[in-house]
Amino acid sequence: RLKPLNRLQVILQHLKMCKHTDSTAEVLLEKRGGAGIITLNRPRTLNALNFSMIQQIYPQIKTWEQDPETFLIIIKGTGGKAFCAGGDIRAITDAGKVGDRLSQDFFREEYILNNAIGTCRKPYVALIDGITMGGGVGLSVHGHFRVATEKTLFAMPETAIGLFPDVGGGYFLPRLSGKIGYYLALTGFRLKGRDVLKAGIATHFVESEKLPALEKDLIALKSPSTENIADLLNSYHGKSKVDQEKEFVLDEHMEKINSLFSANSMEEIVKKLKQDGSPFAIKQLETISKMSPTSLKITLRQLREGASMSLQDVLMMEYRLSQACMRGHDFYEGVRAVLIDKDQSPRWKPAALEEVSDEFVDDCFKPLGTNDLKL
């Protein structure tokens, strides 16, 4: 018979496992074969990432990283509609309004998690099936492998809510080919399906219905190396024929994107778009005119600086920017207009690009002293 103490330990261990595999838990963490599996489990909110999920995922990744019996980490979402539609913006907004610590802690812990994914020593496979935006991009894009499907919908729509493409956006966006990253960041343009691969955001494309088989095969690999995992992903990728013949959605506009979005300032980009006058340019002007002028200016500088920085330095910079947004006006107004009242007509302050001074932008990038993010 078990000694009472041991019995208690067994029961506690059992409860802990139940908590992790309990279907009502917001994130499921389980070990199957040689794989650690993270399942985002808030289908009603499109698996939006909240603070408690971050607090569970981070230590688990660190544990698996040290475990000699764990050879890879897989992250996926439930519900069939989304991998992860973003961070829990509503909670951050409510906290920021009343000066609650969550508006500091959320970004801090989220960026620490993004860095853990970016530096993870175990191969990290993100199955980005369905909506993958904002915080969901941060959970996937810095890992070794990102598997898109025909259902993947990628966007960094932050300039529309008075924020900026964070979670390491300043690192990966300027590293995409040409000026694609700048275009995606400033306009919030959505990429679908195979285009997510063609833009360089995903590493592989596999049909959505094949993901359970792929996952099973990944779990079955015996002490795999990164190459073994890549080989398996490549074989699935090679057999996926959906939309194979379609050309990249931005192909016909690449020349314009590269020239129009290579300016040094937002005002210059707008001027170039106006001078160009093509239907494409006019459409971009319309989109940009709806965005927060402050967000646009912060974002352009974030990407220009991030292009030559390490992921760690980018996340430190973005933490400063996140706190500047928490102190400002546009984030709360953007969330109100887009997510709460849904009137889609935010009243930005300042309302024009010319009114956002260089001094103000400089201020957003200033160090926070002891409050700076430490990685």
Side-chain angles (χ1 to χ4, degrees):
R1 263 186 55 205
L2 289 170
K3 294 197 185 103
L5 181 66
N6 285 6
R7 206 150 106 212
L8 182 63
Q9 280 172 332
V10 169
I11 291 167
L12 285 173
Q13 190 60 36
H14 176 69
L15 284 171
K16 200 170 149 196
M17 288 312 291
C18 288
K19 180 176 150 251
H20 284 329
T21 50
D22 164 17
S23 62
T24 60
E26 296 175 320
V27 58
L28 313 175
L29 304 163
E30 51 185 329
K31 181 76 193 303
R32 291 184 23 220
I37 301 172
I38 302 164
T39 308
L40 309 173
N41 190 36
R42 297 180 71 208
R44 280 213 197 96
T45 62
L46 300 175
N47 299 322
L49 182 68
N50 65 23
F51 192 52
S52 80
M53 291 161 80
I54 295 168
Q55 286 180 305
Q56 292 173 68
I57 295 168
Y58 174 79
Q60 187 62 76
I61 287 177
K62 286 296 178 195
T63 303
W64 281 332
E65 209 174 10
Q66 301 300 323
D67 175 25
E69 298 302 305
T70 303
F71 297 97
L72 74 152
I73 296 170
I74 298 170
I75 186 165
K76 59 179 183 168
T78 51
K81 279 191 184 159
F83 165 67
C84 170
D88 192 352
I89 294 292
R90 292 287 289 268
I92 303 163
T93 312
D94 296 342
K97 280 182 188 160
V98 295
D100 185 292
R101 276 202 60 91
L102 181 69
S103 59
Q104 294 168 39
D105 295 345
F106 182 91
F107 290 103
R108 189 185 299 277
E109 301 299 322
E110 183 181 26
Y111 297 175
I112 288 171
L113 173 57
N114 298 149
N115 183 55
I117 293 165
T119 56
C120 189
R121 292 201 301 275
K122 298 284 166 84
Y124 183 95
V125 183
L127 305 177
I128 54 171
D129 189 31
I131 300 165
T132 304
M133 295 185 184
V137 176
L139 289 177
S140 53
V141 80
H142 305 296
H144 301 83
F145 302 110
R146 287 90 62 190
V147 182
T149 74
E150 72 281 5
K151 291 190 198 166
T152 304
L153 180 62
F154 165 95
M156 295 298 276
E158 288 80 4
T159 55
I161 56 162
L163 210 53
F164 58 96
D166 65 336
V167 297
Y171 181 79
F172 85 88
L173 288 163
R175 284 167 173 78
L176 299 177
S177 71
K179 293 288 170 184
I180 289 180
Y182 291 78
Y183 171 67
L184 295 173
L186 297 168
T187 66
F189 183 80
R190 298 173 166 205
L191 291 169
K192 298 185 179 108
R194 214 176 260 273
D195 287 333
V196 180
L197 172 82
K198 290 179 177 160
I201 293 152
T203 57
H204 294 81
F205 180 90
V206 174
E207 277 114 350
S208 183
E209 61 176 45
K210 300 275 179 14
L211 288 183
L214 170 62
E215 192 183 327
K216 214 173 131 194
D217 285 348
L218 283 167
I219 291 165
L221 290 171
K222 295 277 174 272
S223 349
S225 64
T226 304
E227 288 72 35
N228 299 146
I229 294 162
D231 289 344
L232 179 61
L233 292 170
N234 290 341
S235 78
Y236 270 83
H237 174 83
K239 290 181 200 133
S240 293
K241 302 288 181 249
V242 173
D243 293 339
Q244 207 173 20
E245 303 311 313
K246 265 173 60 182
E247 71 164 40
F248 180 41
V249 67
L250 296 176
D251 252 357
E252 56 178 315
H253 306 302
M254 269 327 294
E255 221 172 296
K256 284 200 188 299
I257 287 172
N258 291 341
S259 67
L260 299 171
F261 286 85
S262 62
N264 298 335
S265 70
M266 269 321 295
E267 287 89 341
E268 210 180 316
I269 290 176
V270 167
K271 193 174 142 196
K272 280 184 161 195
L273 288 167
K274 281 180 180 161
Q275 282 170 346
D276 184 273
S278 64
F280 175 77
I282 290 163
K283 202 173 161 195
Q284 306 323 310
L285 270 174
E286 263 173 44
T287 302
I288 283 172
S289 69
K290 297 189 179 107
M291 305 303 188
S292 154
T294 301
S295 290
L296 290 169
K297 285 208 166 174
I298 287 175
T299 299
L300 183 59
R301 177 158 161 195
Q302 169 207 2
L303 267 54
R304 286 170 59 85
E305 295 202 0
S308 57
M309 291 164 102
S310 68
L311 175 61
Q312 289 69 39
D313 287 341
V314 165
L315 290 166
M316 276 179 65
M317 166 178 76
E318 291 180 356
Y319 185 71
R320 293 167 183 172
L321 297 178
S322 76
Q323 297 311 295
C325 290
M326 294 304 105
R327 295 192 300 268
H329 163 273
D330 280 6
F331 171 65
Y332 304 100
E333 175 56 13
V335 171
R336 179 204 66 73
V338 176
L339 300 176
I340 299 172
D341 300 340
K342 298 188 175 156
D343 57 27
Q344 310 302 330
S345 43
R347 292 179 284 282
W348 305 123
K349 282 184 199 162
L353 284 169
E354 295 70 34
E355 294 166 23
V356 184
S357 70
D358 291 345
E359 293 74 43
F360 177 82
V361 175
D362 289 344
D363 209 44
C364 296
F365 284 81
K366 281 196 177 131
L368 300 170
T370 53
N371 286 329
D372 257 334
L373 176 67
K374 291 160 197 68
L375 293 170

